């Protein structure tokens, strides 16, 4: 919600931590306020770190020994796969210390002894993590992943910092803790009408997920999450759209700002009248718009495409329709056959095509 804009310093931690502590818990990237530890702290004591790296795992190298990391865990759903899997890395000297009441599913010693199959694992989810690990390795490893993450975040932060206040973010540019994974930002200091208009026009371009029920059901901040699933080119699309929106709606004199209700109302009305969600142009404010901000990039600001669809050009069969934003490459292990009907076999038996309404009624009763 923008209320937390910094993290405790290493000096403060060293001064306050009990050297006899069993561990120190650290969240390496805080997704709501956009705070990230780009380097894990090196403490004066030998208290091991327990690191929750769920939202930045594999986005940068980790100083395992220097930072005295004892355990690192990360859910897969942000950067390395599907929900339902958690990766855990633990030092061997910390095994065999579990409380006797610890359930087997949560006992790292039990899981390791069983070859990580003490319980029935979600095999598909695990396989996807393996595919992601291969992709990261082939793309250049952690050094390359960090360079891409830094570049993507810089695109968005530079635009915000150079927007003359039209866009804002709670973490100051001088902070060493700005997150590369999650960039919270507001439109015109939380102007509700402009924010809603920004979201509507973003949705029309295929840019979604900027405002979610959790954690941004209310409040002025949106959030751009730049996980591995968002490419550098897609980050450029977002930056280009933000620049274009600012050019249309930013005003030179703050005192001259008028309500943006008419712009949003006209935009929504045009969508309803056109019937396809894309008709009409939103009205500009009554004051001359500011010049577009320049995105700090090696190339010029690109004109955002109609959507962020990244369906492969190599799909020659025009009858094959992929889901919007579906990504397909050599790591996906997918083929066009997966989207086609059965071939070389007859139709399914008729009884398989009949719907048992009596059974449904019985189940309802």
């Amino acid at each position: 919600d923008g209320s937390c804009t910094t993290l405790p310093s290493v000096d403060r931690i060293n001064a306050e931590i009990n050297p006899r502590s069993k561990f120190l818990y650290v969240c390496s990237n805080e997704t709501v306020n956009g705070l990230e530890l780009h380097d894990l702290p090196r403490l004066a004591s030998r208290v091991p770190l327990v690191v929750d790296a769920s939202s930045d795992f594999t986005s940068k190298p980790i100083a395992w020994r220097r930072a005295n990391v004892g355990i690192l865990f990360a859910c897969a759903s942000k950067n390395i796969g599907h929900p339902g899997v958690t990766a855990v890395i633990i030092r061997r000297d910390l095994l065999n210390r579990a409380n006797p009441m610890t359930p087997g599913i949560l006992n790292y010693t039990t899981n390791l002894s069983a070859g990580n199959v003490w319980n029935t694992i979600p095999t598909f989810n695990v396989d996807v993590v393996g595919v992601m690990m291969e992709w990261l390795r082939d793309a250049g490893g952690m050094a390359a992943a960090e360079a891409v993450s830094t570049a993507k975040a810089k695109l968005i932060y530079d635009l915000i910092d150079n927007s003359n206040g039209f866009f804002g973010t709670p973490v100051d540019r001088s902070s060493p803790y700005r997150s590369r994974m999650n960039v919270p930002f507001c439109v015109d200091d939380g102007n509700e009408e402009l924010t809603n208009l920004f979201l509507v026009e973003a949705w029309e371009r295929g840019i979604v997920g900027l405002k979610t029920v959790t954690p941004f059901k209310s409040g002025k901040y949106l959030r751009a999450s730049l996980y591995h699933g968002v490419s550098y080119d897609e980050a450029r699309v977002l930056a280009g759209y933000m620049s274009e929106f600012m050019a249309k709606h930013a005003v030179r004199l703050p005192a001259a700002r008028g309500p943006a209700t008419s712009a949003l109302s006209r935009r929504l009305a045009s969508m309803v009248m056109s019937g396809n969600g894309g008709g009409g142009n939103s009205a500009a404010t009554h004051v001359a718009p500011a010049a577009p901000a320049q995105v700090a990039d090696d190339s010029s600001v690109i004109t955002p495409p109609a959507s962020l669809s990244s369906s492969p050009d190599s799909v020659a069969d025009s009858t094959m329709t992929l889901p919007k934003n579906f990504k397909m490459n050599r790591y996906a292990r997918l083929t066009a056959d997966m989207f086609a009907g059965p071939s070389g076999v007859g139709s399914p038996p008729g009884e398989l095509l009949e719907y048992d309404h009596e059974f449904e009624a019985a189940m309802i009763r």
Side-chain angles (χ1 to χ4, degrees):
D1 60 1
S3 60
C4 181
T5 58
T6 189
L7 297 172
S9 66
V10 175
D11 290 340
R12 176 184 170 186
I13 296 174
N14 283 329
E16 297 181 2
I17 191 173
N18 183 340
R20 300 181 63 185
S21 299
K22 297 295 185 181
F23 63 88
L24 175 68
Y25 171 85
V26 173
C27 179
S28 53
N29 182 68
E30 195 277 312
T31 64
V32 176
N33 297 286
L35 297 168
E36 181 180 359
L37 287 167
H38 302 302
D39 294 296
L40 293 175
R42 183 176 184 178
L43 305 181
S45 65
R46 294 303 297 167
V47 176
L49 295 184
V50 173
V51 183
D52 178 355
S54 290
S55 55
D56 63 339
F57 185 48
T58 70
S59 71
K60 60 194 174 190
I62 297 173
W64 300 94
R65 298 182 186 277
R66 182 181 64 81
N68 195 29
V69 177
I71 301 174
L72 182 144
F73 63 90
C75 67
S77 54
K78 297 293 196 301
N79 272 321
I80 61 171
H82 286 281
V85 174
T86 298
V88 178
I89 301 171
I90 181 171
R91 273 193 349 227
R92 290 187 179 275
D93 63 294
L94 297 180
L95 295 170
N96 300 303
R97 298 189 184 186
N99 186 300
M101 301 298 292
T102 303
I105 190 67
L106 302 177
N107 190 318
Y108 300 138
T109 304
T110 300
N111 277 272
L112 184 63
S113 300
N116 288 313
V117 289
W118 183 83
N119 64 308
T120 303
I121 62 173
T123 53
F124 175 79
N125 306 49
V126 172
D127 188 58
V128 170
V129 172
V131 172
M132 282 298 299
M133 294 298 113
E134 294 172 6
W135 174 77
L136 286 164
R137 178 199 62 199
D138 295 348
M142 292 302 94
E146 183 176 37
V148 173
S149 296
T150 301
K152 290 189 296 185
K154 189 176 187 300
L155 280 174
I156 309 303
Y157 281 124
D158 281 354
L159 188 137
I160 293 172
D161 292 338
N162 293 295
S163 68
N164 197 28
F166 183 74
F167 293 110
T169 186
V171 184
D172 189 76
R173 70 170 72 187
S174 63
S175 172
Y177 303 121
R178 273 187 166 182
S179 174
R180 301 167 184 160
M181 297 290 101
N182 310 97
V183 182
F185 66 95
C186 61
V187 180
D188 194 27
D189 197 31
N191 182 310
E192 184 175 357
E193 294 296 332
L194 271 182
T195 299
N196 289 337
L197 181 61
F198 180 86
L199 291 171
V200 168
E201 295 189 356
W203 179 84
E204 290 178 341
R205 298 165 182 262
I207 303 173
V208 298
L210 297 174
K211 188 178 183 69
T212 54
V213 174
T214 305
F216 298 110
K217 185 176 183 180
S218 60
K220 70 179 186 180
Y221 288 105
L222 307 177
R223 177 178 63 173
S225 292
L226 305 175
Y227 302 126
H228 290 328
V230 176
S231 68
Y232 179 78
D233 286 340
E234 289 170 336
R236 290 181 61 213
V237 169
L238 174 59
Y241 164 62
M242 292 172 68
S243 176
E244 180 183 317
F245 186 87
M246 178 174 59
K248 288 193 298 184
H249 300 288
V251 294
R252 297 185 184 280
L253 299 176
R257 286 179 180 162
T261 306
S262 59
L264 178 59
S265 299
R266 294 175 187 176
R267 186 60 175 154
L268 293 176
S270 69
M271 290 172 62
V272 173
M273 292 176 63
S274 65
N276 59 12
N281 294 319
S282 60
T285 52
H286 63 284
V287 181
Q294 294 299 313
V295 177
D297 187 17
D298 293 336
S299 56
S300 60
V301 178
I302 62 173
T303 301
S307 72
L308 288 183
S309 177
S310 54
S311 299
D313 296 333
S314 59
V315 178
D317 184 0
S318 60
T319 64
M320 177 177 142
T321 303
L322 297 179
K324 187 177 183 181
N325 294 342
F326 186 86
K327 294 186 177 181
M328 191 166 164
N329 54 42
R330 66 191 182 93
Y331 298 99
R333 298 179 181 172
L334 301 178
T335 67
D337 296 338
M338 297 184 67
F339 299 92
S343 59
V345 297
S347 300
E351 61 269 18
L352 296 182
L353 302 178
E354 296 178 357
Y355 187 77
D356 193 339
H357 295 282
E358 293 183 1
F359 176 77
E360 179 191 38
M363 292 298 293
I364 294 176
R365 290 196 297 270

